[in-house]
Amino acid sequence: MQRYDVLIIGAGLAAASLALSLPSRLRIALLAKKPYEESASYWAQGGIAAVNGADDSLDAHVQDTLISGAGLCDEATVRYVVENGPAAIDWLIEAGVPFDRENSGYHLGREGGHSHRRIFHAADATGRVVQTTLRARLKAAPNISLLDQRIAIDLITGHKLGLEDNRVYGVYALNMDSGHVETLSAGHTVLATGGAGKVFLYTSNPDTATGDGIAMGWRAGCRVANLEFIQFHPTCLYHPHAKSFLITEAMRGEGAVLRLPDGSRFMPEYDERAELAPRDIVARAIDSEMKKRGLDCVYLDITHQPAKFIISHFPTIYERCKELGIDITREWIPVAPAAHYTCGGIVVDHQGRTDLVNLYAIGETACTGLHGANRLASNSLLECVVYGRAAAADIAQSQPAPERALPVWDESRVTDADEEIVIAHNWHELRRFMWDYVGIVRTNRRLERAAHRIQLLREEIDEYYSNFRVSNDLIELRNLVQTADLIVRSATRRHESRGLHCSRDYPDLLPQAAPTVLEPPPR
């Protein structure tokens, strides 16, 4: 058994912000399935939203967030995050993050839903630059261990140990290099595993986004909220060789427009803000045009800008498209919507505390109340830093879980899997029907069909899990099916169309906005 003061499950910006904000006296471990380059934080292009400038204000950022959240944001949380935004940016700058500068200050971008330019960025590779900078600091810290190639299986709770408390004592994790399950004990455990975009067939997320933290938290006894609100990014590159490649919203902020194959624009017909409308509106508009006209994609056109401007502002996109034979300085970019961000998650307070003692959830895994029914662009990385630092401050002064001798993982009654094809088939079936039935536009019938198929898959997977040794694919599939079930249950409960949840059976907006909170079964 390995013992740590703080065990952080995840390797994105929330995890890094937390680890680097904790006192150096604490022994910390970051547990990650893959290297940090395969986190959603690393892939983030646009930037981090925070007020900076005489023409902007905290109130304006608050209002933009509330409007985007379609009445479902927790206003106190929104103000808390926005007010801590400038300090979060200062912390990143002090850590060495080289945001793009302009004249005597910083170059601020503008994205959909923002009334002002307030997006701190590093060209179009903000996530990569931030993560690389912080990773170097993590590796240099003598009290921090970076445990890659490990996937958490389940939290070790007082309930599982036969105790009466609702405390978390650590986690079981599969070491993918050795093939053995490790027992990790911790004074404080943090879920920072990201979202669940891989539950859908088409997503901008890395392969690691399998809802692990949400599923583990739920199984351990945490409430989850607002999981029906899955943000579909309007503009992912549509190309057979461009897996999960995002075309940042910042491009539309610099004047790019959406066009049909004949060159005509369509966004002004859907919203007066046109291409700068919030993501849910743009994604539904694209989805509507594609279905109405039988299109595989639409096109994003930024060719009105000088080539030098495009290459300097969007070098990553320029190079990737060039590799695929698309010169974005002269040609339109084929794009289509894809699952991008999980707005709901494990219910937490302003310190990232969950319903279980000594368990925290931060980043996309958590539901803080900031995003409501639709996340405002570039608020997610801000939330990672603000809540990572807040959780660190709380952990530093909180009583840790007492050290206990935890039971080792029991493999005495299982064997090696004989047919891995079962996992592969179930994985594809889940992602296909979730895309078809629980995508951008939903109906009661589609949700019912999804729920039925999820139940059949759960029975198969539970039997498989009970009889065979765990593997990375099996653990991820188990978590994806659990998260899919929570998404469908949440969507079924919402009898209206609000933000990212669009129902043909309930097209109207209810007069009172209320979160969807699911309570775990009694233990």
Side-chain angles (χ1 to χ4, degrees):
M1 186 180 76
Q2 304 170 50
R3 172 74 179 181
Y4 298 94
D5 295 309
V6 184
L7 176 63
I8 306 168
I9 306 171
L13 180 55
S17 299
L18 169 62
L20 292 171
S21 299
L22 286 165
S24 59
R25 60 180 167 80
L26 298 178
R27 186 166 178 244
I28 303 161
L30 268 72
L31 191 79
K33 293 190 285 187
K34 303 289 182 182
Y36 76 108
E37 296 93 342
E38 296 187 42
S39 69
S41 296
Y42 185 92
W43 287 20
Q45 295 176 352
I48 305 175
V51 173
N52 180 279
D55 65 329
D56 199 2
S57 69
L58 297 176
D59 284 340
H61 192 178
V62 168
Q63 286 305 311
D64 291 345
T65 302
L66 294 175
I67 291 169
S68 181
L72 204 59
C73 299
D74 179 77
E75 188 167 351
T77 297
V78 173
R79 191 162 293 280
Y80 169 75
V81 174
V82 167
E83 289 177 349
N84 282 280
I89 294 293
D90 289 344
W91 181 79
L92 290 169
I93 292 171
E94 290 171 8
V97 176
F99 292 116
D100 285 1
R101 299 190 69 91
E102 183 179 60
N103 301 324
S104 61
Y106 289 93
H107 180 273
L108 302 178
R110 184 180 175 189
E111 297 179 344
H114 288 276
S115 58
H116 296 76
R117 285 184 171 270
R118 62 169 72 102
I119 313 301
F120 286 80
H121 64 97
D124 63 344
T126 306
R128 183 176 68 201
V129 171
V130 170
Q131 283 293 89
T132 301
T133 302
L134 298 186
R135 184 72 172 188
R137 294 177 65 88
L138 289 170
K139 292 176 74 173
N143 65 315
I144 298 177
S145 300
L146 304 177
L147 308 178
D148 291 341
Q149 289 298 112
R150 288 169 174 82
I151 178 170
I153 303 172
D154 264 324
L155 297 167
I156 302 173
T157 62
H159 174 75
K160 288 185 177 179
L161 297 175
L163 306 173
E164 294 299 321
D165 63 24
N166 66 337
R167 193 180 299 274
V168 170
Y169 291 89
V171 69
Y172 291 115
L174 173 66
N175 184 324
M176 289 180 275
D177 287 332
S178 69
H180 296 300
V181 175
E182 299 173 344
T183 305
L184 305 174
S185 169
H188 299 278
T189 304
V190 185
L191 298 172
T193 61
K198 292 296 286 187
V199 78
F200 293 97
L201 186 60
Y202 302 110
T203 177
S204 66
N205 290 180
D207 290 343
T208 54
T210 51
D212 300 335
I214 295 170
M216 282 191 294
W218 171 261
R219 288 195 294 265
C222 293
R223 290 171 300 153
V224 298
N226 293 346
L227 280 170
E228 69 269 38
F229 298 113
I230 304 294
Q231 187 176 78
F232 289 81
H233 198 287
T235 54
C236 279
L237 181 60
Y238 180 80
H239 192 281
H241 302 134
K243 178 184 177 183
S244 305
F245 190 77
L246 188 70
I247 305 298
T248 176
E249 189 161 335
M251 189 170 280
R252 282 178 279 136
E254 297 297 345
V257 297
L258 288 162
R259 299 190 186 277
L260 296 172
D262 64 4
S264 60
R265 291 179 65 189
F266 57 89
M267 276 311 304
E269 300 174 15
Y270 288 88
D271 193 281
E272 61 183 11
R273 293 164 290 186
E275 281 78 11
L276 287 178
R279 288 176 177 175
D280 60 327
I281 295 172
V282 180
R284 279 200 297 271
I286 294 174
D287 182 67
S288 175
E289 291 294 325
M290 287 170 57
K291 287 176 177 172
K292 181 166 60 178
R293 303 173 189 276
L295 303 174
D296 291 323
C297 65
V298 296
Y299 296 88
L300 189 65
D301 175 17
I302 195 171
T303 58
H304 68 284
Q305 290 280 17
K308 183 178 180 181
F309 176 92
I310 295 171
I311 295 170
S312 64
H313 280 71
F314 307 107
T316 307
I317 296 173
Y318 173 77
E319 289 298 332
R320 182 61 177 135
C321 288
K322 186 179 179 182
E323 292 172 2
L324 299 170
I326 304 167
D327 181 355
I328 67 173
T329 66
R330 298 185 297 108
E331 300 174 89
W332 304 342
I333 307 168
V335 295
H340 181 59
Y341 191 84
T342 309
C343 287
I346 298 172
V347 175
V348 298
D349 64 11
H350 284 181
Q351 284 72 46
R353 294 178 295 206
T354 71
D355 295 329
L356 304 183
V357 181
N358 298 122
L359 179 68
Y360 296 73
I362 54 177
E364 197 174 348
T365 303
C367 182
T368 64
L370 173 64
H371 307 305
N374 183 22
R375 176 176 69 89
L376 182 65
S378 291
N379 269 359
S380 53
L381 294 185
L382 175 65
E383 181 186 47
C384 286
V385 180
V386 170
Y387 273 84
R389 298 182 72 211
D394 193 74
I395 289 171
Q397 56 83 43
S398 295
Q399 187 71 24
E403 188 167 357
R404 290 183 177 276
L406 304 180
V408 297
W409 184 259
D410 183 9
E411 290 187 331
S412 61
R413 289 170 290 182
V414 296
T415 61
D416 290 324
D418 52 359
E419 290 194 14
E420 294 286 343
I421 189 63
V422 174
I423 297 176
H425 174 80
N426 287 353
W427 181 291
H428 180 74
E429 181 183 349
L430 173 70
R431 298 181 67 207
R432 176 84 257 179
F433 73 67
M434 284 296 289
W435 179 262
D436 290 340
Y437 298 152
V438 200
I440 295 174
V441 178
R442 301 158 179 174
T443 66
N444 288 346
R445 185 67 181 276
R446 292 176 188 175
L447 293 175
E448 288 170 3
R449 287 175 173 172
H452 177 66
R453 282 161 174 75
I454 286 171
Q455 182 57 36
L456 294 176
L457 284 181
R458 288 190 68 163
E459 292 172 3
E460 282 189 25
I461 292 164
D462 286 346
E463 180 183 6
Y464 205 91
Y465 183 79
S466 299
N467 291 297
F468 299 113
R469 287 191 175 89
V470 293
S471 66
N472 179 73
D473 289 347
L474 176 58
I475 296 166
E476 288 186 331
L477 179 60
R478 178 177 178 238
N479 290 334
L480 277 175
V481 170
Q482 177 63 77
T483 307
D485 176 60
L486 297 173
I487 291 170
V488 171
R489 287 168 60 183
S490 299
T492 302
R493 287 195 181 190
R494 186 161 294 278
H495 294 174
E496 64 171 347
S497 288
R498 182 182 296 274
L500 300 167
H501 176 73
C502 180
S503 170
R504 287 185 178 172
D505 294 296
Y506 306 105
D508 298 325
L509 195 68
L510 291 177
Q512 188 71 33
T516 304
V517 180
L518 300 183
E519 300 276 352
R523 311 209 70 72

